[in-house]
Structures are given as C-alpha cells and as structure tokens.
C-alpha cells in the first residue's frame, strides 16, 4: 500500500482532467490499431490523452517520461436473444443523416454490449491500481485521480468528435425563394391523399410544386427506382423553383427541394405556402420516406456483398500477410480501395513500412498529427497480417453476412489526418477514388521534399505538340502527370445494333411504366480509347505567334517518358446536355499486357520549325479604359479592375467570368479560361474549361508572369496562424515564405502549401537574392532542390496489369468502390472488410487501372 501511495503521489502533478479542446484518443493507438477491444487493451496517457497499445506505451514513456496511464479494456458480452428482458428500449431506426445526434446513427460498431475494465497503471514498473483501491488514498489525492478518470471515460473520443463533424449531413439552409415565392391564383385545392403524377400516374415519390400546384414524380435513382424526372422537367420548362415532397408533410415540417439552388432547403413560410393549396400542415401525417431516410437506407445497404461484381460466386476468404481488410467508416470505400493498391507497390512499402521504426522514432510529441507516422502505421497494418483474422461470430449475425468478414482495421486517425482542412475528404460523403489518389499523392509530395519519394514510380512526362495549320509551325511543351486519363469513344462501340434495340425497349418501357429491360452495355475496344487519346485535337481559337492572329491548329499528345507504374483512369463520368453528371455504363476489353511504345513522342523533328515564343495580347472589353489597355485613364494613376490593383495586371471580361461561375465552375478556373483565351468570348472560354477540367491546378489561382498578386490579398485580414506557420516550416520552407503563402490564401493551410508549390520558381529566384544578402545556404536548400524539377523515371513502354479499382453506381458521389489486386499469381478482391480470392475479376468494368512495367 505504501508503494502504491508513493508511486501515485510522484505522478499526481502530471495527471490532468481533459479540458474543452483536448483530443482524447481512447479508441485507437497512435502507432498501431490496438483498441480497448484488443487482448492487452489500450493505455491512455493521463497527461496528453494519447492512446497506446502495450507494445508502444513503454516506448512513449522512455521518450516523454510520462508515467501515469489509464488502462482501458472492453470485453464483449454475449448478445441476448430476449430483447424484452432488457430494460433498454429497442434501437431506433435513424431518421437523420447525422452521427451522434438526435435521430442520427448510433456510433456503436454493432449491437454488442461490453464489459469495461479500468485501472490506473504507473510506469516503468507497470504498477496496477484498481479503482476501488483509490478509496484508501487521502481525499485530495483520491478526488483528483477519480475526477480525471471519470472525465476521460465520459469524454467523446477524438475519432467520435471527428465523425460527428463529418456526418451532420442534414444541415439545410433557408431557401432564397422562401420569403418571395410567387404563387399562381386560381390553382386547384390539393386533396389530403390519393395523389398521382399528372404526367405518368406514378403514386410514389411525388412532389408538389409550390408555385402552380403541379404534382409530379421525382428523379430516377441509379437502381432504376424512384420517379421519371417529371418534376425536374417541369422546373426546366417553367422556372418555378420550390417543391415539397408529398407524404413527408407533418406539423414539424417537410422535405422541400429548390431546383434553382439544387439542394434540399428550409422554407420558414411552408405553412403559408401549403395553405394556398388548401393544405393544413398541422393536420398532415407522414406517409412516405423522407429524402434523408432514403439516403440512409442506401448507406446502410452500401456495404452488402451483393453490390460487388462477383456476388453470385462463392469466394474463398484469405487471411495473413497482405490480406487485411479495412472497415468502411461511412462511405470510405474510395479510401480503402486506393490505399490497398498503393501498399501493394514496393516503393510505398519501402518508404513507410520498412522504415517504420525510424519514422516512429522521429515522430513528434503528438504522432496522431504526423503524416509519415500515420501512413507507416496504416501500411504496416495492411501488410503484417496481425489484424487479418476472421471476425468473431456473434449470436444473431447472419451466417451469409459473416462469411469471409474480417475484424480488419478502422483507420479513423489516418482518414481524419489526410482529410483535415479539405472540403470533401474531411466529410463522410462518398468521393471520387481518382481525386483521392491525386490528393494523397499531393500530400506525399509535401512530406518528401528532403527524402526519398515513392511518387516517382507514377510520375511521367506528356509531350504536347501544337501545329499551326496556316504557318505549319509547331510548339512543343511538356507537363508532369501522375495518371493517364483515357476518353471513352462511344462511337467505337462494337454492339451498336444491340444498343439501339435496348434503347428503344427502354424508352417504351418507360412510357408504359414497366420495369426497364436487362441492361446492355456498350462494348468499347481498349485500343479505341488509346487512339482517342492520341488523336489530333482541333483548336479553333488558337493564337498563332507566327501570324500574330488567331488561326486553327492541331494538338497531339504523346509520352515523353514512361513511368515504372502507369495509372490509367477511364473517363466514365461526363456531363449530359442538361449539365447533370452521368456515368457511361460501358465494358472495355482492358488487356493484361500493354505495349505503348508506339505512343512515345520524339520532340522537335528536323523538318519542323518552332513557333516564336510570344504571349498573345489581351483583348479588353468595350468599356472606358486608358491607352495602356487597363481600366482608368491616361491622366491619373487610378485603375478600377475589380480583381487586380496593380497597373500591370490584365483586365478580364467579368461578364464572361460570371457566366462560367454561374454554371458551377470554380471562379479561379473561369478567370484563367478568360485570360488564356484572350477575352475572346464565352464560347472560347467554355471550350478551354472543358478541355482543362482534369488539370491538377484547374481551380488554382490565376498567376500571370510578371504580375504581382493583388495587394488586398497579400496584406490585411487576420494575421497568419502561428500553428499553420510552424506546420509549413516543418515541411522545409522558410518562415517568410510561410507567412506570404498564408496571407495570399486567407490563412488556409491546404491552399497555402499549394500556393508555395505553384510559386516555387519565383521563390527560388528570391532565395538566390537573399543568399547574396547574407541569408544562409541551409535556408534555401529545400527550395533549390525543388527548382530542379521533379525526378522522372523512364524505361520501356511495356506493362502488365496488376490492380484495378471498380465503381458501382451512377456517380462518383454515390455507390461503392472495390479493388482487385494480383498477388502471388492470383487475383484477390478487396471489398472493405472482406478479402477473398477472385474467381471472375471484372477487368472490363474497372474505373482506375494500375500497370507495372515489364522488365525485359
């Protein structure tokens, strides 16, 4: 007892009660995927509130000297079949697309109850103090320790807080039409029931237009259910913006959709708007599912085995090294599939897994916020086999659902870190796997400025040749790429007659309100996709430096180098005539072996003459301006350009910029479109936007050589965050560069780092000047390394397919991702927590393909 008292008194000053803003990591180890459910439980530091598995807690003590830990272990209780014997009410079905909030998802992993075991542990002796033993201590000591333990146990864990923030998906804004909505006179009264679509007689998924009282069916869902799109067609014809979903009206509200704002909205005047049609909102009862309930139903079904392509085949589960499943954390299958493929590549294994010990030793005080630590932790978990074990079957679980299911890993800490500050990846909404791949590659770039970079295996150069058809002169440029995007030429389909018959039958079924016929996919030769990539592209608004005028030109693309690993994205997602995103449901005969040697570029040929390197002049709008071509006049120094304060800045046709922005494109992309097309009109700018939508810097700010950024952006506003400055400095940049970048991006850490990379040449020039003024060489090492340009490997253009990611659904914003990887001579399917030997890998239905170079 004396030893326990002495040990506790020695650590008492370090024991804290969690305060607001403290992150309590009581669900996951900072260096591994040990949890309170692991055999050895989790050790939570009572000073920093970081969690550690048994193999890492002693290491943390040796590094920091922290001795007091709360040992937290949870043991599952057997599930009771007799729910009536329990005092707890039955679990309610969620009615709100949110987590941890009234009506939302319960954060419990399953319906299993746990027995919790808690004790205080003091290192290095691992002296254990049970909670009841604290009663024998002096009151002051007992109260302080007990209050700290209770606060840690009752606090929301860091992962729970993150998920709650990510999942409040039903926060709706008041519609801009709510208080001035026009409502037509002389409209009929709407009965309280018995509704049907006035066009197709559907009796479900019906929407009442709040302007003219039309009752029409809603949108068709990706699985063929839903409506026939008559409500949205009515909006396009009339412009009447608001509609309420019939069957969802209750005294508490209803589902209201704004077609103009393209979102679910709030209508504070809904009772008044409904009374116009004789509907008493206070007497209405709910008879149909809300849009949130429909979305929740879809999310709860999304992980089912039936969604994947091999659902009709009995698959053999695989366990062990390299066969670890990843839990779906809420539409995180895009992340799961991408990371499984990346850690099948030796360069990423060598960078993060083989160097894991060195990375962990260099980890900062809070390893949960260190990119290299969390990536190494994830990679080791996927490859080690430690977590690749069959899930423990529990009573009440369907055998078919449990078949092949692993406990796997739940990378909450990793997902929170890589998504931090990102508008999309910080949420639990479904995302595009291709966009996440590039986002992750970008993060690797930032964290490998002074060390080996596994991204080099993907990096390649594309050679672009533009030939002026009038002067016959040419211009060659090269750009760095990490992914090859191949178009889908629908005109090359091999089964056009079959597609035509299917389309006729589909339209007829739609008119007769019958189920659609069995889907017929267009069969596209992979060779046609390559030919479409390599085919010359006509440029109608090309500024010829040789002619000093616009002319027609041809642009062709070729490989200037071939990477070790070639990533190919099939551009299945496009826009319809109504600008609604849609997916091309096609089958492409993607080969297992690929030879691209014929597509290597050769640079300037002996019989070709280069175009002069002269920038096109800017054509300014027809508005009053000085003789220099900028807003203002010749006699004063005032310039009125709405976006630039410098007298050497370009003038953009803001009317065209506004037109493009209203179509939904990023403002900076629209400004670049107008600039690079020389203010030559909306059509030319739109053509530029469509041809550059896939550029990595598409939405980055317009940077004109020789033009400084607007002073209103560089100065003023809130001072840069000291935390953000320190983060950027830790990446190898100087404090001055960090401050400049944060001021230029309104204190956004994500954008600030991108700003530095996009201005790296200017910063290097300034660094050279600083050297002449006495600045140390060490401060400029990282910049000068970057100025040399990224390293690009090259070799033969012969490849072999080793992995592909598939997508199911009508859009990247919904559906499900799985991946197939070739390991040990066989194909393996990774579907979140299920890892199985693949019987029929659907290579023709993939979205992103990964090829590795064939060594001769």
């Amino acid at each position: 007892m004396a030893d326990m008292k002495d040990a506790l008194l020695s650590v008492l000053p370090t024991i804290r009660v969690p305060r607001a803003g403290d992150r309590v990591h009581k669900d996951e180890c900072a260096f591994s995927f040990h949890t309170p459910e692991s055999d050895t439980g989790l050790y939570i530091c009572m000073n920093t509130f970081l969690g550690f598995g048994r193999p890492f807690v002693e290491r943390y003590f040796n590094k920091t000297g922290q001795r007091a830990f709360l040992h937290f272990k949870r043991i599952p209780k057997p599930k009771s079949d007799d729910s009536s014997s329990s005092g707890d009410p039955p679990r309610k079905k969620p009615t709100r697309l949110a987590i941890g909030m009234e009506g939302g998802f319960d954060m419990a992993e399953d319906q299993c109850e746990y027995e919790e075991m808690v004790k205080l542990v003091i290192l290095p002796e691992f002296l254990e103090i049970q909670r009841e033993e604290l009663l024998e201590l002096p009151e002051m000591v007992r109260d302080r320790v007990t209050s700290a333990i209770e606060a840690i146990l009752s606090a929301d864990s860091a992962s729970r807080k993150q998920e709650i923030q990510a999942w409040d998906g039903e926060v709706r804004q008041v519609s801009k039409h709510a208080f001035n909505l026009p409502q037509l006179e002389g409209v009929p009264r709407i009965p309280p029931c018995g509704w049907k679509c006035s066009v197709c007689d559907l009796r479900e998924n019906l929407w009442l237009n709040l302007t003219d009282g039309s009752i029409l069916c809603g949108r068709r869902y990706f699985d063929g259910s839903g409506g026939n799109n008559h409500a949205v067609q009515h909006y396009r014809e009339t412009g009447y913006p608001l509609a309420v979903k019939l069957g969802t009206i209750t005294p508490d509200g209803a589902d209201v959709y704004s077609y103009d704002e393209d979102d679910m909205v709030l209508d504070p005047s809904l009772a008044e708007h409904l009374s116009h049609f004789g509907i008493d909102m206070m007497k209405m009862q709910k008879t149909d599912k809300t849009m949130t309930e429909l979305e929740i139903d879809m999310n709860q079904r999304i992980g089912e085995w039936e969604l994947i392509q091999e659902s009709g085949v009995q698959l053999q589960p695989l366990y062990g090294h390299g066969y670890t499943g990843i839990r779906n954390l809420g539409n995180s299958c895009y992340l799961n599939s991408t990371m499984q493929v990346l850690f099948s590549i030796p360069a990423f294994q060598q960078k993060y897994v083989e160097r894991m010990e060195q990375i962990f030793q260099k980890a900062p005080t809070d390893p949960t916020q260190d990119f290299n630590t969390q990536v190494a932790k994830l990679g080791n978990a996927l490859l080690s086999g430690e977590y690749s074990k069959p899930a423990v079957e529990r009573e009440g679980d369907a055998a078919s659902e449990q078949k092949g299911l692993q406990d796997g890993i739940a990378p909450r800490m990793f997902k929170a870190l890589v998504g931090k500050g990102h508008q999309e990846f910080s949420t639990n909404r479904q995302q595009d796997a291709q966009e996440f791949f590039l986002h992750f590659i970008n993060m690797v770039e930032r964290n490998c400025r002074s060390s080996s970079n596994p991204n080099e295996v993907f990096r390649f150069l594309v050679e672009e040749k533009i030939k002026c058809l009038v002067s016959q002169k040419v211009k060659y440029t090269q750009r760095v790429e990490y992914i090859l995007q191949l178009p889908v030429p629908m005109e090359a389909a091999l089964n056009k007659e079959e597609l035509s018959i299917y389309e006729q039958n589909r339209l007829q079924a739609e008119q007769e309100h019958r189920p659609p016929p069995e889907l017929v996919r267009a069969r596209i030769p992979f060779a046609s996709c390559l030919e479409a990539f390599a085919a010359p592209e006509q440029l109608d608004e090309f500024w010829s430096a040789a002619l000093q005028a616009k002319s027609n030109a041809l642009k062709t693309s070729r490989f200037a180098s071939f990477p070790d690993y070639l990533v190919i994205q099939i551009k299945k997602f496009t826009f319809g005539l109504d600008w609604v995103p849609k997916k091309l449901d096609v089958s492409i005969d993607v080969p297992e072996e690929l030879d691209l040697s014929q597509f290597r570029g050769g640079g300037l040929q002996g019989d070709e003459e280069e175009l002069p390197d002269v920038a096109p002049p800017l054509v300014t709008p027809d508005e009053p301006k000085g003789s220099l071509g900028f807003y203002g006049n010749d006699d004063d120094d005032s310039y009125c350009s709405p976006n630039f304060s410098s007298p050497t800045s370009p003038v953009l046709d803001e009317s065209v910029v506004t037109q493009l922005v209203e179509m939904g494109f990023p403002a900076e992309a629209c400004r670049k479109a107008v600039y690079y097309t020389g203010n030559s009109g909306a059509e030319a700018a739109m053509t530029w936007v469509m041809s550059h939508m896939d550029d990595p810097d598409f939405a980055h700010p317009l940077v004109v050589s020789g033009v400084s950024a607007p002073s209103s952006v560089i100065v003023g506003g809130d001072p840069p965050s000291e935390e953000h400055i320190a983060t950027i400095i830790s990446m190898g940049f100087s404090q001055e560069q960090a401050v400049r970048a944060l001021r230029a991006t309104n204190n956004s850490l994500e954008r600030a780092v991108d700003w530095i990379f996009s201005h790296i040449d200017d910063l290097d020039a300034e660094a050279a000047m600083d050297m002449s003024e006495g600045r140390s060489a060490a401060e400029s090492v990282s910049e000068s390394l970057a100025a040399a340009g990224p390293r690009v490997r090259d070799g033969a253009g012969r490849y072999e397919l080793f992995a592909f990611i598939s997508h199911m659904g009508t859009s990247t914003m919904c559906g499900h991702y799985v991946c197939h990887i070739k390991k040990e001579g066989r194909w393996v399917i990774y579907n979140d927590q299920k890892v199985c030997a693949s019987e029929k890998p659907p290579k023709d239905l993939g979205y992103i393909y990964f090829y590795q170079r064939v060594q001769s």
Side-chain angles (χ1 to χ4, degrees):
M1 178 65 185
D3 292 342
M4 179 189 75
K5 182 178 179 181
D6 292 343
L8 193 53
L9 289 175
S10 67
V11 300
L12 191 62
T14 67
I15 296 177
R16 294 198 303 120
V17 175
R19 298 188 298 266
D22 282 334
R23 294 191 296 265
V24 180
H25 296 279
K26 61 180 184 179
D27 289 339
E28 180 183 341
C29 171
F31 293 104
S32 70
F33 286 93
H34 288 87
T35 69
E37 290 79 45
S38 301
D39 292 340
T40 56
L42 197 68
Y43 293 80
I44 305 165
C45 177
M46 299 190 71
N47 180 267
T48 63
F49 312 117
L50 293 171
F52 301 95
R54 181 63 177 83
F56 295 97
V57 64
E58 197 164 6
R59 176 183 301 188
Y60 184 71
F61 158 72
N62 292 331
K63 183 173 182 177
T64 65
Q66 295 291 346
R67 299 178 58 201
F69 292 84
L70 182 67
H71 183 253
F72 184 35
K73 181 172 173 58
R74 299 200 304 178
I75 302 175
K77 296 179 180 178
K79 187 184 297 183
S80 173
D81 292 330
D82 184 11
S83 59
S84 62
S85 64
S86 171
D88 296 328
R91 183 182 294 262
K92 292 183 179 179
K93 184 176 181 180
T95 57
R96 182 179 185 187
L97 193 61
I99 282 182
M101 297 185 179
E102 181 65 29
F105 283 98
D106 191 336
M107 287 294 295
E109 290 290 328
D110 48 44
Q111 303 207 18
C112 180
E113 295 181 354
Y114 289 93
E115 177 186 353
E116 295 186 349
M117 303 176 64
V118 178
K119 58 189 173 186
L120 189 64
V121 175
I122 300 177
L123 268 65
E125 303 89 351
F126 281 89
L127 176 65
E128 298 182 356
I129 304 174
Q130 304 295 333
R131 294 179 75 177
E132 51 270 21
E133 294 182 86
L134 296 175
L135 298 175
E136 304 175 19
L137 297 173
E139 181 179 357
M140 182 183 70
V141 177
R142 181 182 68 241
D143 289 349
R144 177 162 180 171
V145 176
T146 302
S147 60
I149 292 175
E150 295 298 335
I152 292 173
L153 294 176
S154 62
D156 279 339
S157 67
S159 60
R160 180 182 174 89
K161 285 183 177 180
Q162 173 68 25
E163 288 173 327
I164 289 174
Q165 293 169 2
W167 259 93
D168 192 8
E170 204 187 1
V171 178
R172 299 176 182 177
Q173 303 299 317
V174 174
S175 170
K176 64 182 181 182
H177 302 288
F179 300 107
N180 57 359
L181 181 73
Q183 292 191 287
L184 304 185
E185 297 298 331
V187 294
R189 295 175 66 85
I190 304 299
C193 59
W195 312 297
K196 65 179 181 179
C197 176
S198 60
V199 177
C200 67
D201 293 342
L202 274 181
R203 294 181 178 273
E204 59 184 17
N205 191 19
L206 299 176
W207 294 79
L208 169 68
N209 190 287
L210 291 175
T211 294
D212 64 0
S214 299
I215 297 178
L216 299 157
C217 61
R219 300 178 193 261
R220 182 181 297 274
Y221 305 142
F222 76 84
D223 61 354
S225 62
N228 292 317
N229 300 318
H230 289 139
V232 67
Q233 290 174 10
H234 182 69
Y235 162 70
R236 294 184 187 125
E237 295 167 0
T238 64
Y240 300 153
L242 295 186
V244 61
K245 187 176 185 185
L246 294 172
T248 69
I249 304 171
T250 69
D252 296 325
D255 273 0
V256 180
Y257 192 84
S258 171
Y259 293 103
D260 178 42
E261 296 158 285
D262 194 22
D263 205 353
M264 301 298 296
V265 295
L266 296 177
D267 180 5
S269 307
L270 180 60
E272 178 185 343
H273 291 153
L274 290 173
S275 67
H276 183 76
F277 304 102
I279 299 175
D280 186 348
M281 182 171 162
M282 302 306 295
K283 296 180 180 178
M284 297 296 291
Q285 293 183 348
K286 181 175 176 294
T287 61
D288 199 359
K289 289 184 177 181
T290 66
M291 298 306 292
T292 296
E293 289 172 326
L294 289 171
E295 190 172 352
I296 288 172
D297 287 346
M298 188 64 67
N299 276 284
Q300 290 181 320
R301 294 198 305 267
I302 209 68
E304 294 176 351
W305 196 240
E306 288 77 16
L307 283 176
I308 68 169
Q309 299 297 322
E310 299 182 67
S311 56
V313 181
Q314 185 67 39
L315 301 177
Q316 175 194 353
L318 299 175
Y319 306 100
H321 298 280
Y323 298 113
T324 303
I326 307 178
R327 297 184 199 174
N328 195 317
L329 304 178
N331 290 327
S332 62
C333 50
Y334 67 91
L335 178 149
N336 298 352
S337 298
T338 303
M339 299 313 299
Q340 291 281 15
V341 174
L342 288 179
F343 274 109
S344 298
I345 296 174
F348 283 86
Q349 297 173 3
Q350 294 161 7
K351 170 69 177 180
Y352 294 108
V353 181
E354 294 179 10
R355 295 184 61 252
M356 184 182 70
E357 286 302 321
Q358 298 96 299
I359 292 173
F360 284 0
Q361 289 173 7
K362 295 179 180 178
T365 306
D366 185 358
T368 69
Q369 300 301 302
D370 182 61
F371 178 80
N372 289 334
T373 297
Q374 294 308 312
V375 177
K377 165 184 163 181
L378 175 64
N380 179 66
L382 292 178
L383 299 177
S384 67
E386 180 180 358
Y387 308 96
S388 179
K389 301 171 184 176
V392 177
E393 293 193 19
R394 301 187 178 101
E395 294 181 23
D397 289 332
S400 60
E401 292 180 359
Q402 285 293 112
K403 185 67 175 177
L405 192 68
Q406 299 184 10
D407 280 333
I409 58 173
R412 296 183 180 91
M413 210 172 280
F414 171 81
K415 184 177 184 295
L417 182 62
V418 297
K420 185 178 180 180
H422 193 282
Q423 186 175 1
E424 294 298 334
F425 298 127
S426 61
T427 72
N428 272 26
R429 294 189 292 269
Q430 186 61 279
Q431 304 298 335
D432 187 345
Q434 180 255 2
E435 291 182 3
F436 177 76
F437 170 78
L438 292 177
H439 171 72
F440 182 76
I441 290 297
N442 191 26
M443 295 196 74
V444 172
E445 289 287 342
R446 296 178 197 167
N447 288 274
C448 291
R449 289 176 57 82
S450 57
S451 61
S452 61
N453 188 342
N455 285 347
E456 291 178 9
V457 301
F458 298 128
R459 202 180 288 147
F460 64 98
L461 294 174
V462 173
E463 173 189 284
E464 277 195 353
K465 169 186 170 182
I466 298 179
K467 181 178 181 179
C468 172
L469 295 180
V470 177
S471 68
Q472 298 297 305
K473 295 183 179 180
V474 299
K475 177 182 181 181
Y476 282 88
T477 58
Q478 289 185 348
R479 69 175 189 272
V480 175
E481 292 286 3
Y482 292 89
I483 190 167
L484 174 66
Q485 296 178 314
L486 292 184
V488 180
M490 296 299 291
E491 65 277 6
L494 300 176
N495 56 337
K496 293 179 182 177
E497 183 176 347
E498 189 180 2
L499 288 169
S500 177
I501 295 174
Y502 164 75
E503 185 62 19
Q504 293 174 12
N505 293 338
R506 187 190 66 80
L507 291 174
Q508 184 175 355
E510 187 174 306
Q511 292 171 359
E512 298 174 0
H513 313 303
R514 293 186 289 105
E518 185 177 350
L519 176 67
V520 175
R521 291 188 175 91
R523 299 199 305 272
I524 311 294
F526 183 77
S528 298
C529 298
L530 283 174
E531 290 168 3
F533 158 75
E537 176 187 350
Q538 179 85 22
L539 303 179
D540 296 327
E541 293 287 339
F542 175 70
W543 176 268
S544 173
L547 304 175
Q548 286 294 295
K550 291 180 182 178
S551 74
N552 293 330
L554 288 180
K555 181 177 77 171
T556 54
S557 298
R558 294 290 186 272
F559 288 91
S561 68
F562 288 115
D564 292 348
Y565 286 80
L566 179 64
V567 185
I568 297 178
Q569 177 200 12
I570 304 297
K571 297 177 69 173
K572 291 186 174 183
F573 298 98
T574 182
F575 288 95
L577 296 176
D578 54 1
W579 290 98
V580 175
K582 67 176 184 178
K583 179 180 176 181
L584 302 176
D585 204 343
V586 296
S587 171
I588 300 176
D589 61 337
V590 176
E592 291 230 12
E593 294 185 356
L594 182 62
D595 190 347
L596 299 174
S597 303
Q598 61 177 311
F599 297 103
R600 183 185 283 273
L604 186 67
Q605 302 299 302
D607 59 346
E608 293 178 333
E609 184 178 352
E610 280 193 283
L611 283 163
D613 189 12
V614 180
L618 274 172
V619 181
T620 57
D622 295 329
E623 296 185 32
K625 54 188 176 292
S627 60
L628 297 176
F630 302 98
Y631 287 91
N633 57 63
D634 297 337
D635 300 325
D636 63 29
D637 296 325
S638 64
Y639 296 92
C640 308
S641 171
N643 290 285
F644 290 90
S645 61
S646 169
T648 58
S649 301
V651 176
L652 304 179
D653 189 339
E654 290 299 324
S655 64
V656 176
V657 174
T658 302
Q659 277 183 264
L660 297 177
V661 170
E662 289 176 349
M663 293 180 185
F665 298 110
E668 288 298 337
C670 301
R671 293 172 52 74
K672 287 196 285 190
V674 174
Y675 172 74
Y676 288 119
T677 55
N679 277 332
S680 53
E683 186 175 348
M686 187 65 189
T687 301
W688 187 95
V689 166
M690 298 306 294
S691 61
H692 290 79
M693 282 182 65
D694 297 317
D695 292 356
D697 61 348
F698 177 65
H700 289 188
L702 170 64
V703 179
V704 183
S705 180
V707 177
S708 60
S711 59
S712 61
V713 176
I714 298 298
V715 297
D718 297 331
S721 161
E722 291 296 331
E723 181 181 356
H724 288 177
I725 292 174
T727 300
I728 296 176
I729 291 176
S730 69
M731 297 179 186
F733 300 107
S734 69
Q735 179 168 355
E736 180 185 356
Q737 291 166 345
V739 171
R740 285 186 58 190
L742 289 167
R743 284 179 173 170
T745 56
N746 197 24
N747 272 335
S748 168
L749 178 61
E750 177 97 8
R751 291 172 53 211
V753 178
D754 288 337
W755 185 93
I756 291 178
F757 279 107
S758 63
H759 292 74
I760 199 68
D761 292 334
D762 296 336
L763 296 174
D764 282 318
E766 294 173 10
M769 294 179 62
D770 290 338
M771 288 285 289
S772 65
E773 296 172 2
R775 187 180 175 200
S776 68
E779 292 177 85
S780 302
V781 167
S782 60
E783 291 88 345
S784 61
L785 286 173
R791 289 183 55 186
V792 177
R793 302 180 186 181
D794 196 8
R798 295 177 58 239
Y799 293 94
E800 180 181 9
L801 182 68
F802 87 94
F804 61 95
I805 295 174
S806 305
H807 172 267
M808 286 150 284
T810 56
S811 164
T812 55
M813 298 300 104
C814 67
H816 187 53
Y817 287 97
V818 300
C819 71
H820 287 73
I821 305 173
K822 200 169 190 178
K823 289 190 174 181
E824 300 176 331
R826 65 182 172 186
W827 283 100
V828 179
I829 181 171
Y830 293 79
N831 181 31
D832 292 338
Q833 286 172 262
K834 291 189 177 182
V835 181
C836 298
S838 174
E839 296 292 334
K840 298 178 180 179
K843 296 190 289 291
D844 60 323
L845 300 178
Y847 175 46
I848 305 174
Y849 295 88
F850 295 79
Y851 282 87
Q852 58 186 346
R853 194 197 315 276
V854 175
Q855 301 296 336
S856 56

